[in-house]
Amino acid sequence: MDPRSSDIVVRAMEPADIPAVTEVLGQPRAVWGTLQPPFVSVDARQKRHAETGPGDAGLVAVLDGRVIGSIGLHRDRPHRRSHVASLGMAVHDAYAGRGAGAALLAAVIDLAERWWNIKRLELNVYADNTRAIALYERFGFQREGLHRAYAWRDGAYVDSLSMARLAL
């Protein structure tokens, strides 16, 4: 049975969520779609989470008590770009296409625009990740440029699209 997106709860990431987030990011398709390397330990993620500052937010998508996705929002700190934030997200392979990404994206856009006064949300997405690109475009992100040979993934260089959304 596919969960409805209304069954998915989005909330702040807690330190106790790090093992579940590590599992999400360890999924073959999830890690394929991010800049995260495979085989990152829970301890390494816990240390990284502990170093986040006031310009960072982490949210998780939860279904039936299980973390099935995560999204990070990172505000630029230099004064002339304090109106800008970037994001990155991943959804557990078993739950892809069931609304978790949309729920996470809606929540982070709300946080950025209504609470942090962010004018510009930025992201990079691999050019061959058509599912993610379609989701971002559905939420008003526009393509701004192509980065050729942007990252090394799975034995080959892959291109990336720069996308951004301007608050209304």
Side-chain angles (χ1 to χ4, degrees), residues 11-48:
R11 62 166 173 77
M13 183 186 308
E14 300 291 344
D17 296 323
I18 302 301
V21 170
T22 300
E23 179 186 344
V24 167
L25 289 166
Q27 297 296 301
R29 180 75 180 170
V31 76
W32 175 89
T34 71
L35 280 173
Q36 301 290 319
F39 312 116
V40 176
S41 70
V42 171
D43 185 56
R45 287 199 198 284
Q46 286 171 329
K47 288 177 183 170
R48 183 174 178 195

PDB file of all heavy atoms in Angstrom, residues 11-48:
ATOM      1  N   ARG A  11       9.307  17.162  10.271  1.00  0.00           N
ATOM      2  CA  ARG A  11       9.689  17.803  11.527  1.00  0.00           C
ATOM      3  C   ARG A  11      11.181  18.061  11.539  1.00  0.00           C
ATOM      4  O   ARG A  11      11.912  17.595  10.660  1.00  0.00           O
ATOM      5  CB  ARG A  11       9.271  16.942  12.717  1.00  0.00           C
ATOM      6  CG  ARG A  11       9.938  15.574  12.755  1.00  0.00           C
ATOM      7  CD  ARG A  11       9.764  14.892  14.093  1.00  0.00           C
ATOM      8  NE  ARG A  11      10.244  13.529  14.110  1.00  0.00           N
ATOM      9  CZ  ARG A  11      11.519  13.161  14.186  1.00  0.00           C
ATOM     10  NH1 ARG A  11      12.475  14.074  14.223  1.00  0.00           N
ATOM     11  NH2 ARG A  11      11.860  11.885  14.213  1.00  0.00           N
ATOM     12  N   ALA A  12      11.622  18.800  12.567  1.00  0.00           N
ATOM     13  CA  ALA A  12      13.053  19.073  12.714  1.00  0.00           C
ATOM     14  C   ALA A  12      13.814  17.771  12.945  1.00  0.00           C
ATOM     15  O   ALA A  12      13.325  16.858  13.622  1.00  0.00           O
ATOM     16  CB  ALA A  12      13.285  20.023  13.885  1.00  0.00           C
ATOM     17  N   MET A  13      15.009  17.709  12.386  1.00  0.00           N
ATOM     18  CA  MET A  13      15.875  16.563  12.617  1.00  0.00           C
ATOM     19  C   MET A  13      16.444  16.648  14.034  1.00  0.00           C
ATOM     20  O   MET A  13      16.890  17.708  14.460  1.00  0.00           O
ATOM     21  CB  MET A  13      17.024  16.537  11.603  1.00  0.00           C
ATOM     22  CG  MET A  13      17.930  15.321  11.741  1.00  0.00           C
ATOM     23  SD  MET A  13      19.397  15.374  10.666  1.00  0.00           S
ATOM     24  CE  MET A  13      18.676  15.687   9.083  1.00  0.00           C
ATOM     25  N   GLU A  14      16.409  15.534  14.713  1.00  0.00           N
ATOM     26  CA  GLU A  14      16.968  15.424  16.064  1.00  0.00           C
ATOM     27  C   GLU A  14      18.217  14.551  16.012  1.00  0.00           C
ATOM     28  O   GLU A  14      18.355  13.719  15.111  1.00  0.00           O
ATOM     29  CB  GLU A  14      15.935  14.797  17.008  1.00  0.00           C
ATOM     30  CG  GLU A  14      14.641  15.571  17.139  1.00  0.00           C
ATOM     31  CD  GLU A  14      14.816  16.890  17.882  1.00  0.00           C
ATOM     32  OE1 GLU A  14      15.847  17.078  18.559  1.00  0.00           O
ATOM     33  OE2 GLU A  14      13.919  17.744  17.759  1.00  0.00           O
ATOM     34  N   PRO A  15      19.120  14.713  16.985  1.00  0.00           N
ATOM     35  CA  PRO A  15      20.304  13.844  17.003  1.00  0.00           C
ATOM     36  C   PRO A  15      19.963  12.353  16.958  1.00  0.00           C
ATOM     37  O   PRO A  15      20.676  11.577  16.326  1.00  0.00           O
ATOM     38  CB  PRO A  15      20.994  14.230  18.310  1.00  0.00           C
ATOM     39  CG  PRO A  15      20.601  15.658  18.534  1.00  0.00           C
ATOM     40  CD  PRO A  15      19.174  15.740  18.035  1.00  0.00           C
ATOM     41  N   ALA A  16      18.861  11.972  17.563  1.00  0.00           N
ATOM     42  CA  ALA A  16      18.466  10.561  17.555  1.00  0.00           C
ATOM     43  C   ALA A  16      18.070  10.066  16.163  1.00  0.00           C
ATOM     44  O   ALA A  16      17.992   8.855  15.935  1.00  0.00           O
ATOM     45  CB  ALA A  16      17.314  10.338  18.536  1.00  0.00           C
ATOM     46  N   ASP A  17      17.828  10.991  15.219  1.00  0.00           N
ATOM     47  CA  ASP A  17      17.459  10.623  13.849  1.00  0.00           C
ATOM     48  C   ASP A  17      18.668  10.276  12.979  1.00  0.00           C
ATOM     49  O   ASP A  17      18.496   9.753  11.873  1.00  0.00           O
ATOM     50  CB  ASP A  17      16.705  11.770  13.164  1.00  0.00           C
ATOM     51  CG  ASP A  17      15.375  12.084  13.816  1.00  0.00           C
ATOM     52  OD1 ASP A  17      14.699  11.140  14.267  1.00  0.00           O
ATOM     53  OD2 ASP A  17      15.014  13.282  13.863  1.00  0.00           O
ATOM     54  N   ILE A  18      19.857  10.578  13.441  1.00  0.00           N
ATOM     55  CA  ILE A  18      21.054  10.420  12.599  1.00  0.00           C
ATOM     56  C   ILE A  18      21.229   8.985  12.089  1.00  0.00           C
ATOM     57  O   ILE A  18      21.538   8.793  10.905  1.00  0.00           O
ATOM     58  CB  ILE A  18      22.317  10.937  13.319  1.00  0.00           C
ATOM     59  CG1 ILE A  18      22.157  12.410  13.704  1.00  0.00           C
ATOM     60  CG2 ILE A  18      23.563  10.723  12.470  1.00  0.00           C
ATOM     61  CD1 ILE A  18      21.901  13.359  12.562  1.00  0.00           C
ATOM     62  N   PRO A  19      21.036   7.948  12.908  1.00  0.00           N
ATOM     63  CA  PRO A  19      21.150   6.594  12.338  1.00  0.00           C
ATOM     64  C   PRO A  19      20.170   6.341  11.186  1.00  0.00           C
ATOM     65  O   PRO A  19      20.537   5.742  10.176  1.00  0.00           O
ATOM     66  CB  PRO A  19      20.861   5.679  13.534  1.00  0.00           C
ATOM     67  CG  PRO A  19      21.277   6.488  14.722  1.00  0.00           C
ATOM     68  CD  PRO A  19      20.877   7.907  14.375  1.00  0.00           C
ATOM     69  N   ALA A  20      18.944   6.822  11.312  1.00  0.00           N
ATOM     70  CA  ALA A  20      17.958   6.633  10.243  1.00  0.00           C
ATOM     71  C   ALA A  20      18.319   7.450   9.007  1.00  0.00           C
ATOM     72  O   ALA A  20      18.152   6.984   7.872  1.00  0.00           O
ATOM     73  CB  ALA A  20      16.562   7.004  10.745  1.00  0.00           C
ATOM     74  N   VAL A  21      18.814   8.672   9.197  1.00  0.00           N
ATOM     75  CA  VAL A  21      19.251   9.498   8.066  1.00  0.00           C
ATOM     76  C   VAL A  21      20.441   8.834   7.374  1.00  0.00           C
ATOM     77  O   VAL A  21      20.531   8.839   6.141  1.00  0.00           O
ATOM     78  CB  VAL A  21      19.580  10.933   8.524  1.00  0.00           C
ATOM     79  CG1 VAL A  21      20.256  11.726   7.420  1.00  0.00           C
ATOM     80  CG2 VAL A  21      18.307  11.646   8.992  1.00  0.00           C
ATOM     81  N   THR A  22      21.328   8.243   8.148  1.00  0.00           N
ATOM     82  CA  THR A  22      22.463   7.514   7.575  1.00  0.00           C
ATOM     83  C   THR A  22      21.966   6.349   6.721  1.00  0.00           C
ATOM     84  O   THR A  22      22.498   6.085   5.641  1.00  0.00           O
ATOM     85  CB  THR A  22      23.406   7.026   8.692  1.00  0.00           C
ATOM     86  OG1 THR A  22      23.885   8.163   9.406  1.00  0.00           O
ATOM     87  CG2 THR A  22      24.583   6.248   8.132  1.00  0.00           C
ATOM     88  N   GLU A  23      20.928   5.673   7.185  1.00  0.00           N
ATOM     89  CA  GLU A  23      20.344   4.591   6.384  1.00  0.00           C
ATOM     90  C   GLU A  23      19.758   5.137   5.080  1.00  0.00           C
ATOM     91  O   GLU A  23      19.961   4.562   4.013  1.00  0.00           O
ATOM     92  CB  GLU A  23      19.250   3.865   7.166  1.00  0.00           C
ATOM     93  CG  GLU A  23      18.611   2.748   6.359  1.00  0.00           C
ATOM     94  CD  GLU A  23      17.419   2.086   7.046  1.00  0.00           C
ATOM     95  OE1 GLU A  23      17.234   2.259   8.257  1.00  0.00           O
ATOM     96  OE2 GLU A  23      16.673   1.397   6.323  1.00  0.00           O
ATOM     97  N   VAL A  24      19.031   6.249   5.167  1.00  0.00           N
ATOM     98  CA  VAL A  24      18.448   6.862   3.965  1.00  0.00           C
ATOM     99  C   VAL A  24      19.557   7.180   2.972  1.00  0.00           C
ATOM    100  O   VAL A  24      19.474   6.826   1.790  1.00  0.00           O
ATOM    101  CB  VAL A  24      17.654   8.138   4.321  1.00  0.00           C
ATOM    102  CG1 VAL A  24      17.319   8.944   3.063  1.00  0.00           C
ATOM    103  CG2 VAL A  24      16.385   7.795   5.091  1.00  0.00           C
ATOM    104  N   LEU A  25      20.600   7.860   3.431  1.00  0.00           N
ATOM    105  CA  LEU A  25      21.683   8.278   2.542  1.00  0.00           C
ATOM    106  C   LEU A  25      22.560   7.113   2.091  1.00  0.00           C
ATOM    107  O   LEU A  25      23.364   7.262   1.172  1.00  0.00           O
ATOM    108  CB  LEU A  25      22.524   9.361   3.204  1.00  0.00           C
ATOM    109  CG  LEU A  25      21.807  10.709   3.307  1.00  0.00           C
ATOM    110  CD1 LEU A  25      22.534  11.637   4.263  1.00  0.00           C
ATOM    111  CD2 LEU A  25      21.670  11.347   1.934  1.00  0.00           C
ATOM    112  N   GLY A  26      22.404   5.964   2.711  1.00  0.00           N
ATOM    113  CA  GLY A  26      23.145   4.777   2.302  1.00  0.00           C
ATOM    114  C   GLY A  26      22.448   3.968   1.227  1.00  0.00           C
ATOM    115  O   GLY A  26      23.017   3.006   0.704  1.00  0.00           O
ATOM    116  N   GLN A  27      21.226   4.345   0.883  1.00  0.00           N
ATOM    117  CA  GLN A  27      20.490   3.630  -0.162  1.00  0.00           C
ATOM    118  C   GLN A  27      21.136   3.887  -1.519  1.00  0.00           C
ATOM    119  O   GLN A  27      21.567   5.012  -1.796  1.00  0.00           O
ATOM    120  CB  GLN A  27      19.031   4.094  -0.189  1.00  0.00           C
ATOM    121  CG  GLN A  27      18.270   3.809   1.077  1.00  0.00           C
ATOM    122  CD  GLN A  27      18.144   2.321   1.307  1.00  0.00           C
ATOM    123  OE1 GLN A  27      17.601   1.589   0.478  1.00  0.00           O
ATOM    124  NE2 GLN A  27      18.659   1.857   2.428  1.00  0.00           N
ATOM    125  N   PRO A  28      21.214   2.882  -2.373  1.00  0.00           N
ATOM    126  CA  PRO A  28      21.899   3.052  -3.662  1.00  0.00           C
ATOM    127  C   PRO A  28      21.388   4.225  -4.499  1.00  0.00           C
ATOM    128  O   PRO A  28      22.175   5.026  -5.006  1.00  0.00           O
ATOM    129  CB  PRO A  28      21.647   1.728  -4.383  1.00  0.00           C
ATOM    130  CG  PRO A  28      21.388   0.743  -3.292  1.00  0.00           C
ATOM    131  CD  PRO A  28      20.720   1.516  -2.188  1.00  0.00           C
ATOM    132  N   ARG A  29      20.089   4.359  -4.644  1.00  0.00           N
ATOM    133  CA  ARG A  29      19.540   5.439  -5.480  1.00  0.00           C
ATOM    134  C   ARG A  29      19.681   6.786  -4.778  1.00  0.00           C
ATOM    135  O   ARG A  29      19.966   7.793  -5.410  1.00  0.00           O
ATOM    136  CB  ARG A  29      18.074   5.142  -5.809  1.00  0.00           C
ATOM    137  CG  ARG A  29      17.410   6.178  -6.664  1.00  0.00           C
ATOM    138  CD  ARG A  29      17.852   6.087  -8.105  1.00  0.00           C
ATOM    139  NE  ARG A  29      17.149   7.129  -8.864  1.00  0.00           N
ATOM    140  CZ  ARG A  29      17.430   7.449 -10.093  1.00  0.00           C
ATOM    141  NH1 ARG A  29      18.369   6.802 -10.742  1.00  0.00           N
ATOM    142  NH2 ARG A  29      16.782   8.400 -10.701  1.00  0.00           N
ATOM    143  N   ALA A  30      19.489   6.807  -3.460  1.00  0.00           N
ATOM    144  CA  ALA A  30      19.603   8.060  -2.707  1.00  0.00           C
ATOM    145  C   ALA A  30      21.022   8.607  -2.786  1.00  0.00           C
ATOM    146  O   ALA A  30      21.226   9.788  -3.083  1.00  0.00           O
ATOM    147  CB  ALA A  30      19.180   7.860  -1.258  1.00  0.00           C
ATOM    148  N   VAL A  31      22.012   7.778  -2.546  1.00  0.00           N
ATOM    149  CA  VAL A  31      23.398   8.253  -2.591  1.00  0.00           C
ATOM    150  C   VAL A  31      23.786   8.608  -4.027  1.00  0.00           C
ATOM    151  O   VAL A  31      24.553   9.539  -4.252  1.00  0.00           O
ATOM    152  CB  VAL A  31      24.379   7.253  -1.947  1.00  0.00           C
ATOM    153  CG1 VAL A  31      24.654   6.061  -2.841  1.00  0.00           C
ATOM    154  CG2 VAL A  31      25.675   7.931  -1.549  1.00  0.00           C
ATOM    155  N   TRP A  32      23.233   7.913  -4.999  1.00  0.00           N
ATOM    156  CA  TRP A  32      23.473   8.212  -6.416  1.00  0.00           C
ATOM    157  C   TRP A  32      23.052   9.636  -6.752  1.00  0.00           C
ATOM    158  O   TRP A  32      23.685  10.300  -7.558  1.00  0.00           O
ATOM    159  CB  TRP A  32      22.690   7.208  -7.267  1.00  0.00           C
ATOM    160  CG  TRP A  32      22.735   7.429  -8.745  1.00  0.00           C
ATOM    161  CD1 TRP A  32      23.650   6.927  -9.622  1.00  0.00           C
ATOM    162  CD2 TRP A  32      21.816   8.201  -9.535  1.00  0.00           C
ATOM    163  NE1 TRP A  32      23.358   7.335 -10.900  1.00  0.00           N
ATOM    164  CE2 TRP A  32      22.235   8.124 -10.877  1.00  0.00           C
ATOM    165  CE3 TRP A  32      20.684   8.953  -9.236  1.00  0.00           C
ATOM    166  CZ2 TRP A  32      21.563   8.753 -11.917  1.00  0.00           C
ATOM    167  CZ3 TRP A  32      20.014   9.584 -10.274  1.00  0.00           C
ATOM    168  CH2 TRP A  32      20.453   9.483 -11.590  1.00  0.00           C
ATOM    169  N   GLY A  33      21.992  10.130  -6.118  1.00  0.00           N
ATOM    170  CA  GLY A  33      21.467  11.444  -6.442  1.00  0.00           C
ATOM    171  C   GLY A  33      22.040  12.589  -5.625  1.00  0.00           C
ATOM    172  O   GLY A  33      21.609  13.724  -5.777  1.00  0.00           O
ATOM    173  N   THR A  34      23.009  12.315  -4.753  1.00  0.00           N
ATOM    174  CA  THR A  34      23.582  13.364  -3.902  1.00  0.00           C
ATOM    175  C   THR A  34      25.092  13.443  -4.090  1.00  0.00           C
ATOM    176  O   THR A  34      25.700  12.605  -4.747  1.00  0.00           O
ATOM    177  CB  THR A  34      23.305  13.082  -2.402  1.00  0.00           C
ATOM    178  OG1 THR A  34      24.101  11.960  -1.980  1.00  0.00           O
ATOM    179  CG2 THR A  34      21.838  12.813  -2.143  1.00  0.00           C
ATOM    180  N   LEU A  35      25.684  14.444  -3.469  1.00  0.00           N
ATOM    181  CA  LEU A  35      27.144  14.544  -3.422  1.00  0.00           C
ATOM    182  C   LEU A  35      27.727  13.755  -2.259  1.00  0.00           C
ATOM    183  O   LEU A  35      28.938  13.751  -2.053  1.00  0.00           O
ATOM    184  CB  LEU A  35      27.574  16.012  -3.304  1.00  0.00           C
ATOM    185  CG  LEU A  35      27.580  16.812  -4.593  1.00  0.00           C
ATOM    186  CD1 LEU A  35      27.861  18.281  -4.302  1.00  0.00           C
ATOM    187  CD2 LEU A  35      28.597  16.268  -5.586  1.00  0.00           C
ATOM    188  N   GLN A  36      26.876  13.096  -1.491  1.00  0.00           N
ATOM    189  CA  GLN A  36      27.343  12.316  -0.353  1.00  0.00           C
ATOM    190  C   GLN A  36      28.106  11.084  -0.835  1.00  0.00           C
ATOM    191  O   GLN A  36      27.677  10.434  -1.789  1.00  0.00           O
ATOM    192  CB  GLN A  36      26.148  11.859   0.502  1.00  0.00           C
ATOM    193  CG  GLN A  36      25.305  12.975   1.046  1.00  0.00           C
ATOM    194  CD  GLN A  36      26.016  13.753   2.120  1.00  0.00           C
ATOM    195  OE1 GLN A  36      26.687  13.188   2.967  1.00  0.00           O
ATOM    196  NE2 GLN A  36      25.881  15.060   2.069  1.00  0.00           N
ATOM    197  N   PRO A  37      29.196  10.745  -0.183  1.00  0.00           N
ATOM    198  CA  PRO A  37      29.866   9.494  -0.533  1.00  0.00           C
ATOM    199  C   PRO A  37      29.150   8.318   0.124  1.00  0.00           C
ATOM    200  O   PRO A  37      28.458   8.498   1.128  1.00  0.00           O
ATOM    201  CB  PRO A  37      31.272   9.669   0.068  1.00  0.00           C
ATOM    202  CG  PRO A  37      31.048  10.584   1.232  1.00  0.00           C
ATOM    203  CD  PRO A  37      29.925  11.504   0.840  1.00  0.00           C
ATOM    204  N   PRO A  38      29.294   7.132  -0.432  1.00  0.00           N
ATOM    205  CA  PRO A  38      28.719   5.966   0.245  1.00  0.00           C
ATOM    206  C   PRO A  38      29.555   5.605   1.477  1.00  0.00           C
ATOM    207  O   PRO A  38      30.677   6.081   1.638  1.00  0.00           O
ATOM    208  CB  PRO A  38      28.797   4.871  -0.811  1.00  0.00           C
ATOM    209  CG  PRO A  38      29.899   5.293  -1.723  1.00  0.00           C
ATOM    210  CD  PRO A  38      29.937   6.798  -1.680  1.00  0.00           C
ATOM    211  N   PHE A  39      28.989   4.796   2.332  1.00  0.00           N
ATOM    212  CA  PHE A  39      29.691   4.231   3.487  1.00  0.00           C
ATOM    213  C   PHE A  39      30.134   5.267   4.513  1.00  0.00           C
ATOM    214  O   PHE A  39      31.234   5.200   5.037  1.00  0.00           O
ATOM    215  CB  PHE A  39      30.890   3.374   3.030  1.00  0.00           C
ATOM    216  CG  PHE A  39      30.563   2.408   1.933  1.00  0.00           C
ATOM    217  CD1 PHE A  39      31.149   2.523   0.688  1.00  0.00           C
ATOM    218  CD2 PHE A  39      29.636   1.390   2.140  1.00  0.00           C
ATOM    219  CE1 PHE A  39      30.842   1.638  -0.335  1.00  0.00           C
ATOM    220  CE2 PHE A  39      29.320   0.510   1.119  1.00  0.00           C
ATOM    221  CZ  PHE A  39      29.921   0.624  -0.111  1.00  0.00           C
ATOM    222  N   VAL A  40      29.273   6.227   4.806  1.00  0.00           N
ATOM    223  CA  VAL A  40      29.549   7.204   5.857  1.00  0.00           C
ATOM    224  C   VAL A  40      28.980   6.646   7.156  1.00  0.00           C
ATOM    225  O   VAL A  40      27.820   6.201   7.200  1.00  0.00           O
ATOM    226  CB  VAL A  40      28.925   8.578   5.524  1.00  0.00           C
ATOM    227  CG1 VAL A  40      29.121   9.558   6.664  1.00  0.00           C
ATOM    228  CG2 VAL A  40      29.527   9.121   4.236  1.00  0.00           C
ATOM    229  N   SER A  41      29.769   6.687   8.202  1.00  0.00           N
ATOM    230  CA  SER A  41      29.336   6.122   9.478  1.00  0.00           C
ATOM    231  C   SER A  41      28.351   7.028  10.198  1.00  0.00           C
ATOM    232  O   SER A  41      28.303   8.236   9.970  1.00  0.00           O
ATOM    233  CB  SER A  41      30.551   5.883  10.377  1.00  0.00           C
ATOM    234  OG  SER A  41      31.085   7.123  10.815  1.00  0.00           O
ATOM    235  N   VAL A  42      27.600   6.437  11.090  1.00  0.00           N
ATOM    236  CA  VAL A  42      26.684   7.199  11.943  1.00  0.00           C
ATOM    237  C   VAL A  42      27.480   8.199  12.763  1.00  0.00           C
ATOM    238  O   VAL A  42      27.080   9.361  12.914  1.00  0.00           O
ATOM    239  CB  VAL A  42      25.869   6.254  12.851  1.00  0.00           C
ATOM    240  CG1 VAL A  42      25.083   7.033  13.895  1.00  0.00           C
ATOM    241  CG2 VAL A  42      24.934   5.380  12.009  1.00  0.00           C
ATOM    242  N   ASP A  43      28.633   7.777  13.277  1.00  0.00           N
ATOM    243  CA  ASP A  43      29.474   8.671  14.079  1.00  0.00           C
ATOM    244  C   ASP A  43      29.904   9.903  13.286  1.00  0.00           C
ATOM    245  O   ASP A  43      29.841  11.029  13.791  1.00  0.00           O
ATOM    246  CB  ASP A  43      30.716   7.909  14.586  1.00  0.00           C
ATOM    247  CG  ASP A  43      31.565   8.747  15.508  1.00  0.00           C
ATOM    248  OD1 ASP A  43      31.028   9.251  16.527  1.00  0.00           O
ATOM    249  OD2 ASP A  43      32.772   8.915  15.217  1.00  0.00           O
ATOM    250  N   ALA A  44      30.310   9.724  12.046  1.00  0.00           N
ATOM    251  CA  ALA A  44      30.719  10.864  11.213  1.00  0.00           C
ATOM    252  C   ALA A  44      29.548  11.809  10.977  1.00  0.00           C
ATOM    253  O   ALA A  44      29.703  13.030  11.033  1.00  0.00           O
ATOM    254  CB  ALA A  44      31.287  10.365   9.882  1.00  0.00           C
ATOM    255  N   ARG A  45      28.365  11.262  10.720  1.00  0.00           N
ATOM    256  CA  ARG A  45      27.189  12.118  10.530  1.00  0.00           C
ATOM    257  C   ARG A  45      26.803  12.840  11.822  1.00  0.00           C
ATOM    258  O   ARG A  45      26.375  13.990  11.793  1.00  0.00           O
ATOM    259  CB  ARG A  45      26.014  11.313  10.005  1.00  0.00           C
ATOM    260  CG  ARG A  45      26.187  10.917   8.568  1.00  0.00           C
ATOM    261  CD  ARG A  45      24.879  10.541   7.921  1.00  0.00           C
ATOM    262  NE  ARG A  45      25.127   9.785   6.713  1.00  0.00           N
ATOM    263  CZ  ARG A  45      25.526  10.298   5.560  1.00  0.00           C
ATOM    264  NH1 ARG A  45      25.718  11.584   5.456  1.00  0.00           N
ATOM    265  NH2 ARG A  45      25.749   9.521   4.520  1.00  0.00           N
ATOM    266  N   GLN A  46      26.940  12.173  12.949  1.00  0.00           N
ATOM    267  CA  GLN A  46      26.626  12.820  14.228  1.00  0.00           C
ATOM    268  C   GLN A  46      27.571  13.997  14.479  1.00  0.00           C
ATOM    269  O   GLN A  46      27.130  15.055  14.932  1.00  0.00           O
ATOM    270  CB  GLN A  46      26.703  11.812  15.375  1.00  0.00           C
ATOM    271  CG  GLN A  46      25.535  10.863  15.399  1.00  0.00           C
ATOM    272  CD  GLN A  46      25.683   9.731  16.391  1.00  0.00           C
ATOM    273  OE1 GLN A  46      26.781   9.267  16.678  1.00  0.00           O
ATOM    274  NE2 GLN A  46      24.552   9.251  16.893  1.00  0.00           N
ATOM    275  N   LYS A  47      28.840  13.838  14.163  1.00  0.00           N
ATOM    276  CA  LYS A  47      29.794  14.938  14.332  1.00  0.00           C
ATOM    277  C   LYS A  47      29.446  16.097  13.414  1.00  0.00           C
ATOM    278  O   LYS A  47      29.488  17.264  13.826  1.00  0.00           O
ATOM    279  CB  LYS A  47      31.214  14.449  14.075  1.00  0.00           C
ATOM    280  CG  LYS A  47      31.749  13.566  15.175  1.00  0.00           C
ATOM    281  CD  LYS A  47      33.124  13.027  14.869  1.00  0.00           C
ATOM    282  CE  LYS A  47      33.568  12.099  15.990  1.00  0.00           C
ATOM    283  NZ  LYS A  47      34.782  11.379  15.638  1.00  0.00           N
ATOM    284  N   ARG A  48      29.094  15.811  12.192  1.00  0.00           N
ATOM    285  CA  ARG A  48      28.713  16.871  11.246  1.00  0.00           C
ATOM    286  C   ARG A  48      27.451  17.587  11.724  1.00  0.00           C
ATOM    287  O   ARG A  48      27.353  18.809  11.661  1.00  0.00           O
ATOM    288  CB  ARG A  48      28.505  16.280   9.856  1.00  0.00           C
ATOM    289  CG  ARG A  48      28.186  17.327   8.825  1.00  0.00           C
ATOM    290  CD  ARG A  48      28.129  16.747   7.438  1.00  0.00           C
ATOM    291  NE  ARG A  48      27.770  17.793   6.487  1.00  0.00           N
ATOM    292  CZ  ARG A  48      27.363  17.573   5.272  1.00  0.00           C
ATOM    293  NH1 ARG A  48      27.268  16.341   4.828  1.00  0.00           N
ATOM    294  NH2 ARG A  48      27.043  18.565   4.484  1.00  0.00           N
TER     295      ARG A  48
END
